[in-house]
Amino acid sequence: MSLKKAYLIVIIILLVDQISKLYIKTNFVLGEEIKVFDWFRIHFIENEGMAWGTKIPGDHGKLFLTLFRIVAVFGIGYWLWDSVKKHSSNYLIVAVALILAGAFGNIIDSVFYGVIFNDSHYAASTLFSDNPYGTWFHGKVVDMLYFPIWKGTLPEWIPFVGGNYFTFFNAIFNIADMAISTGVGILIVFNKRAFGTTEKEEVVSNNEISA
C-alpha cells in the first residue's frame, strides 16, 4: 500500500470523527441521549482522561496526558511511514493508519476543544465561544456511541458479581476510539499476516525459488 492511500485512510477517519464530535457538541446538552435502537443510543458525555474515564491525578495530570498523546502520535506516524517504506503487509499498514487516525482525533479534542467551545452542561455548546470552558491542552474528549446490548440482573450463582445489575456493553466511545480498537484488533487477530513476510521479501523469495 502506498503512503498516499494510508494517509487517505487517516484523513477520512479524522473527518468523520471530528464532524460527528462537532455535531454532538453543538446540538446536544451533556448527558442528553437519543435512542436509535434498544441496543444503540447516542449519548453525549465528555471524557477528561484516558479510556473508561480514567484520570491521571494532580494539577498537571491532564496536561501530561495530552503531551504524552502528542509524542505517541509522532511515534505512530513514523511507524506508519516506516512500514510503507519497508513494503510491510497491508494488514500492518491499515492497522497503524487506523491507530494513528484515532489517536490524532482524540488529540484534537484535548488540545483545542477547551478554547473553542463553551460549557455543555445547560445548553449545546457554541463553536468559537467568547467564554470557553477550558484552556489549551486541557480539552475534554467527546464521546457519544453507546451500545447497551444487554441490561439485567446477573444470576446469583456467578461468583463475586451474582445478583448485581449489569450492562453489556456499558462503554461510551467515539469514532476515534473505534479506529484505535479496530487497528489493535487487526494486529492481534491477523498478527502473523501483519508482522510476517513483507511484499518485497515475498517477491525476492519467489524469484529465488524460480531460479
Side-chain angles (χ1 to χ4, degrees):
M1 178 180 291
S2 67
L3 195 58
K4 185 181 294 186
K5 290 181 179 179
Y7 284 156
L8 182 60
I9 293 174
V10 174
I11 292 169
I12 290 173
I13 292 172
L14 270 177
L15 286 174
V16 174
D17 177 65
Q18 287 302 307
I19 289 172
S20 64
K21 288 174 178 176
L22 290 173
Y23 177 79
I24 292 296
K25 195 70 172 135
T26 55
N27 289 274
F28 282 63
V29 177
L30 194 63
E32 185 177 351
E33 178 178 286
I34 290 180
K35 181 179 177 181
V36 181
F37 302 107
D38 286 338
W39 48 268
F40 174 45
R41 320 281 176 90
I42 302 296
H43 187 101
F44 174 33
I45 66 169
E46 290 182 315
N47 183 356
E48 296 187 42
M50 300 175 285
W52 306 96
T54 306
K55 299 179 183 179
I56 298 178
D59 296 335
H60 302 293
K62 175 64 177 179
L63 177 60
F64 174 80
L65 175 61
T66 301
L67 293 176
F68 174 78
R69 283 172 168 167
I70 292 173
V71 172
V73 160
F74 277 104
I76 299 168
Y78 175 78
W79 186 15
L80 177 61
W81 176 84
D82 186 60
S83 298
V84 172
K85 293 302 179 184
K86 290 180 177 178
H87 301 282
S88 297
S89 163
N90 284 343
Y91 286 90
L92 178 61
I93 295 172
V94 170
V96 177
L98 290 172
I99 295 171
L100 176 61
F104 199 4
N106 284 334
I107 280 177
I108 292 174
D109 297 31
S110 297
V111 173
F112 299 106
Y113 277 24
V115 294
I116 65 173
F117 284 113
N118 59 340
D119 192 83
S120 301
H121 281 86
Y122 305 106
S125 293
T126 301
L127 183 60
F128 302 120
S129 170
D130 293 329
N131 186 31
Y133 72 79
T135 58
W136 291 98
F137 299 98
H138 288 81
K140 300 173 185 178
V141 176
V142 175
D143 294 324
M144 79 294 287
L145 302 177
Y146 180 37
F147 293 86
I149 297 174
W150 182 84
K151 291 183 178 181
T153 302
L154 296 173
E156 294 287 347
W157 54 264
I158 300 178
F160 305 112
V161 295
N164 293 335
Y165 189 81
F166 181 76
T167 300
F168 179 86
F169 175 70
N170 68 342
I172 301 175
F173 51 96
N174 56 43
I175 300 297
D177 297 330
M178 286 182 60
I180 294 172
S181 299
T182 303
V184 172
I186 291 173
L187 294 181
I188 294 173
V189 176
F190 301 101
N191 182 272
K192 291 184 178 180
R193 295 185 179 183
F195 296 101
T197 306
T198 65
E199 295 176 0
K200 191 174 182 179
E201 288 172 341
E202 288 178 354
V203 171
V204 173
S205 178
N206 290 334
N207 288 339
E208 290 177 349
I209 291 173
S210 298

